[in-house]
Amino acid sequence: CETCSKEEAKYRCPRCMKYSCSLLCVKKHKLALSCNGVRDKTAFVSVNEFTDLNLLSDYRFLEDVGRTADAAARHCIVHSPATKRLLYCLRNKARGCNIELKTLPVGFTKRKENSTTFNSVENKFYWHLKLVFPHCRAEYTLKGVPDDKTLADILKPYIDPVESDPVVCQRLKPYTASPQSDVRILMKIENRSRNSVRYNELDAGRSLLDNLKGKVIIEYPTLFVVLKTLKNDMVVLGQ
């Protein structure tokens, strides 16, 4: 057992492949690693390790995607003129700011979550934003973030040792204990193959709008906050 290191392992987690001996150890490993125990159907598998089971899994996954997309296409909200008009307006305004905004069909999780709006009076986007802190396995969702707010100001309530919430500060201790110069903000580049994932490094001193210009966004931006001093597997474009 990789949790207690005492008893003989009986179970293997479909998600992270950790061995456990009992239900108690299974629960402990899920809590410690923030693991949900659900097999990752889209995990990368090299050609040398690809088997008939992987092929069958991919086939069933594609069937599930097809069913979900078909159900979403039949949904009454999809054909609502108000919904189409709103999405067209968002994409059009984003295009005017040199941002390629793509939306998913109704039924997809990101489509349900997205709360991004455009205020025509202020001529400003209010973004739905997700912050991911990989070194602490933490995620936070922000709503109504104005596009003229700098990334440094957006991150202050999370990693600033003075202004951050005490509970958040404790959870993100590696970030709050590090100098601001060690913090990097990355955003995944969309439309690349799964085995060639790259990230753009953003400028914390510039506004959210300036950082999103020239980028492809699916529904809403997801920002990954990493530290230079700690190892991570995120490759910045050009490196």
Side-chain angles (χ1 to χ4, degrees):
C1 177
E2 294 184 53
T3 302
C4 66
S5 303
K6 295 178 181 178
E7 303 294 333
E8 182 182 355
K10 298 178 183 178
Y11 313 105
R12 192 176 190 184
C13 178
R15 181 80 178 188
C16 61
M17 299 300 173
K18 296 288 185 184
Y19 287 101
S20 303
C21 66
S22 62
L23 180 60
L24 181 61
C25 284
V26 169
K27 289 181 178 179
K28 283 183 179 179
H29 114 266
K30 286 183 178 181
L31 187 62
L33 301 179
S34 298
C35 176
N36 58 13
V38 179
R39 182 174 64 86
D40 185 3
K41 297 179 182 179
T42 61
F44 176 74
V45 179
S46 65
V47 176
N48 296 334
E49 298 173 350
F50 200 83
T51 64
D52 290 342
L53 286 175
N54 297 119
L55 179 63
L56 182 62
S57 174
D58 286 353
Y59 181 75
R60 287 175 175 169
F61 174 71
L62 291 174
E63 282 187 326
D64 291 340
V65 171
R67 280 194 293 269
T68 303
D70 182 63
R74 296 170 184 268
H75 201 285
C76 59
I77 298 178
V78 175
H79 307 288
S80 167
T83 302
K84 290 183 177 179
R85 198 160 49 244
L86 176 62
L87 293 179
Y88 175 79
C89 176
L90 281 176
R91 289 193 295 262
N92 193 40
K93 293 295 183 182
R95 195 178 302 115
C97 297
N98 192 26
I99 301 171
E100 186 177 350
L101 178 63
K102 296 186 175 182
T103 54
L104 298 170
V106 173
F108 282 76
T109 304
K110 290 189 77 171
R111 175 90 288 272
K112 292 178 182 177
E113 293 175 342
N114 196 2
S115 61
T116 301
T117 58
F118 182 82
N119 190 314
S120 55
V121 176
E122 299 178 6
N123 196 32
K124 184 190 297 185
F125 272 98
Y126 285 87
W127 288 97
H128 183 104
L129 190 65
K130 181 176 284 189
L131 300 177
V132 181
F133 298 86
H135 303 304
C136 298
R137 294 188 178 91
E139 292 186 5
Y140 297 94
T141 299
L142 289 71
K143 296 182 179 181
V145 181
D147 61 13
D148 57 354
K149 195 171 186 178
T150 64
L151 298 188
D153 288 337
I154 292 172
L155 290 178
K156 269 185 181 179
Y158 299 91
I159 63 174
D160 189 279
V162 178
E163 297 187 26
S164 62
D165 179 88
V167 177
V168 176
C169 181
Q170 185 62 29
R171 187 178 184 189
L172 302 179
K173 200 169 184 179
Y175 293 90
T176 54
S178 301
Q180 295 299 308
S181 57
D182 283 349
V183 176
R184 303 174 75 188
I185 306 171
L186 309 179
M187 188 169 76
K188 184 180 176 183
I189 301 174
E190 303 293 350
N191 301 331
R192 290 181 67 93
S193 59
R194 188 171 177 82
N195 59 351
S196 180
V197 178
R198 295 292 182 272
Y199 295 82
N200 279 316
E201 184 166 4
L202 308 183
D203 187 348
R206 301 178 67 186
S207 69
L208 179 59
L209 180 63
D210 289 339
N211 277 289
L212 295 181
K213 286 182 178 179
K215 310 289 194 308
V216 177
I217 300 170
I218 299 178
E219 289 293 347
Y220 55 80
T222 299
L223 308 184
F224 295 85
V225 186
V226 299
L227 296 173
K228 297 177 184 178
T229 52
L230 296 180
K231 183 181 178 182
N232 66 80
D233 56 357
M234 297 178 182
V235 183
V236 176
L237 187 67
Q239 291 184 344

